[in-house]
Amino acid sequence: MVSGVPPFERFYESHKAEVLAFLRGRAGRDRADDLFQETFLRALRAYGRLEHGEHLRAWVLTIATNAVVDAARRERPTAELSVEPAGEDERPALEELAPLTDDLPPKERAAVVLRYGYDLDYDTIGAALGSNEQAARQAASAGVRRLRKEKEQR
Amino acid sequence: MTAVPTVLDERFRAAAAASGELDVAYDVLDDTPVGRLLVGVSERGLCRVGFDPEPEAELERLARHFGPRVLRSPNALDRVRRELDEYFAGGRHAFDLELDLRATPEFHRRVLAELNRVEYGHTTTYGALAAQVGAPRAARAVGTVMNRNPLPIVLPCHRVVGANGSLTGYGGGLDRKEWLLRLEGALL
């Protein structure tokens, strides 16, 4: 066994439907198609460096989240952002949040971004991370504490 | 649960192979004259031909030998599929494919290299192969090498028979060995 990391085919088959549903919910049906490919290509690039096969669900949903964030950034340079009204789909909070969370551990980053960027409840985040509500709450608050500490140190 | 549209799924599989990031791209050929075949290629060449593929076990095996980035990606197998089709139709007598035998032990590789010189329509014996690799008493070990041949058909272990001309054995079953030898005209 390669330290419990399943063949990529298994990983892809297990998670592709959920990732597509997740992306459609976050980015809309049209953009979700491109982001689907982007997400799994990113996962593939990193897959050879995985050391174990745990939390693959949280891992791939984090990659999907990052792909959405990066696409939003590409499409909306910050200069334009300030003059656009913040409509329901604009998610400025997310775009401000994303760069700040770059250095967080993946699970905390995912929890923070999903909670404060996407306004998901902890139940949903727990499910996305393959754990539970309480663990999601803890990860998010650990992430926020870490961000505060980093801010104070600056 | 959202079904992933076929076109999206196929597009990703093709893009993954094109990205050069796969350890192994494989496909399952469902309807060859010798039944289902799993074929796999790495960036170095053909690394697997498997009869009666139990995908689960085959994928684990490929991941163990070549790395975990194993994905079904039919496009990457176009050339292998074409050469096999030509062979099964009787129009191809030798394969023109790069082979990746890095997961095969040294002694096995030496025996397989000798095996690869046995031409279409000809047969040899376990003992003769053993003698050719300088281990004349190792006929039984040569049998083991044939049995574990990672690339049957392409590396033609079906052309190896017992000293008395009996078919002896075949990793894919004697029926298949017989079919292949008949195809090649080595059996009437």
Side-chain angles (χ1 to χ4, degrees):
Chain A
M1 278 310 287
V2 185
S3 336
V5 179
F8 192 85
E9 174 73 22
R10 292 280 155 266
F11 159 76
Y12 171 68
E13 281 297 326
S14 305
H15 299 292
K16 66 180 186 181
E18 187 177 8
V19 165
L20 185 60
F22 178 84
L23 290 169
R24 282 179 175 173
R26 303 296 162 256
R29 225 182 158 85
D30 291 343
R31 275 185 295 176
D33 284 6
D34 288 336
L35 290 171
F36 176 82
Q37 178 159 325
E38 174 73 20
T39 296
F40 279 106
L41 283 177
R42 286 186 190 192
L44 178 62
R45 273 198 288 281
Y47 203 74
R49 297 193 299 275
L50 286 182
E51 285 173 4
H52 57 74
E54 290 164 41
H55 308 305
L56 288 180
R57 184 160 175 264
W59 181 68
V60 73
L61 288 174
T62 306
I63 294 173
T65 303
N66 291 345
V68 172
V69 170
D70 292 346
R73 252 188 228 155
R74 276 196 305 271
E75 283 173 24
R76 258 177 252 282
T78 28
E80 288 174 32
L81 194 67
S82 55
V83 295
E84 277 185 30
E88 203 175 328
D89 268 318
E90 308 278 316
R91 306 190 190 285
L94 173 60
E95 288 174 22
E96 285 166 31
L97 193 59
L100 300 175
T101 58
D102 275 346
D103 297 328
L104 290 183
K107 201 156 187 169
E108 291 178 16
R109 182 181 192 209
V112 169
V113 170
L114 294 174
R115 177 68 193 93
Y116 299 103
Y118 290 116
D119 205 25
L120 297 186
D121 59 43
Y122 285 117
D123 226 20
T124 312
I125 299 170
L129 297 179
S131 56
N132 54 39
E133 186 203 334
Q134 199 191 349
R137 196 183 292 276
Q138 281 166 1
S141 77
V144 169
R145 271 201 307 279
R146 205 186 295 268
L147 288 174
R148 280 215 187 97
K149 204 184 278 175
E150 280 171 15
K151 198 179 164 199
E152 281 163 15
Q153 283 166 359
R154 253 173 231 158
Chain B
M1 191 59 90
T2 317
V4 175
T6 309
V7 58
L8 198 54
D9 183 68
E10 286 175 354
R11 205 180 71 180
F12 166 66
R13 292 177 183 281
S19 77
E21 299 278 351
L22 289 181
D23 294 313
V24 177
Y26 76 92
D27 195 16
V28 176
L29 313 182
D30 274 318
D31 46 6
T32 83
V34 291
R36 281 176 51 160
L37 286 182
L38 181 143
V39 287
V41 292
S42 71
E43 87 282 7
R44 299 189 198 180
L46 185 69
C47 64
R48 182 63 182 151
V49 176
F51 290 117
D52 295 324
E54 291 173 48
E56 206 64 44
E58 280 284 359
L59 298 194
E60 292 289 346
R61 181 180 177 281
L62 289 171
R64 206 163 50 237
H65 288 321
F66 299 98
R69 294 171 304 173
V70 176
L71 185 72
R72 190 174 64 75
S73 185
N75 290 15
L77 278 301
D78 280 348
R79 183 152 161 227
V80 173
R81 195 182 303 105
R82 193 176 64 237
E83 293 207 10
L84 281 170
D85 283 346
E86 290 165 358
Y87 170 81
F88 288 133
R92 172 175 286 278
H93 291 189
F95 291 94
D96 187 19
L97 299 166
E98 298 297 319
L99 308 182
D100 182 353
L101 290 171
R102 84 187 108 133
T104 304
E106 160 66 18
F107 175 71
H108 289 234
R109 278 209 299 268
R110 268 169 52 211
V111 176
L112 292 172
E114 278 306 318
L115 170 69
N116 205 18
R117 295 150 58 112
V118 181
E119 289 184 5
Y120 188 92
H122 292 70
T123 58
T124 186
T125 65
Y126 298 95
L129 266 187
Q132 276 159 351
V133 295
R137 296 151 75 101
R140 193 175 288 268
V142 165
T144 303
V145 175
M146 297 304 113
N147 190 254
R148 301 204 183 141
N149 178 6
L151 306 175
I153 302 176
V154 173
L155 287 173
C157 55
H158 57 279
R159 294 176 197 154
V160 186
V161 298
N164 61 1
S166 68
L167 293 186
T168 314
Y170 191 56
L174 282 179
D175 288 354
R176 288 192 174 111
K177 186 170 189 172
E178 200 179 323
W179 191 91
L180 292 167
L181 288 173
R182 278 188 206 289
L183 168 73
E184 297 185 3
L187 263 188
L188 297 177

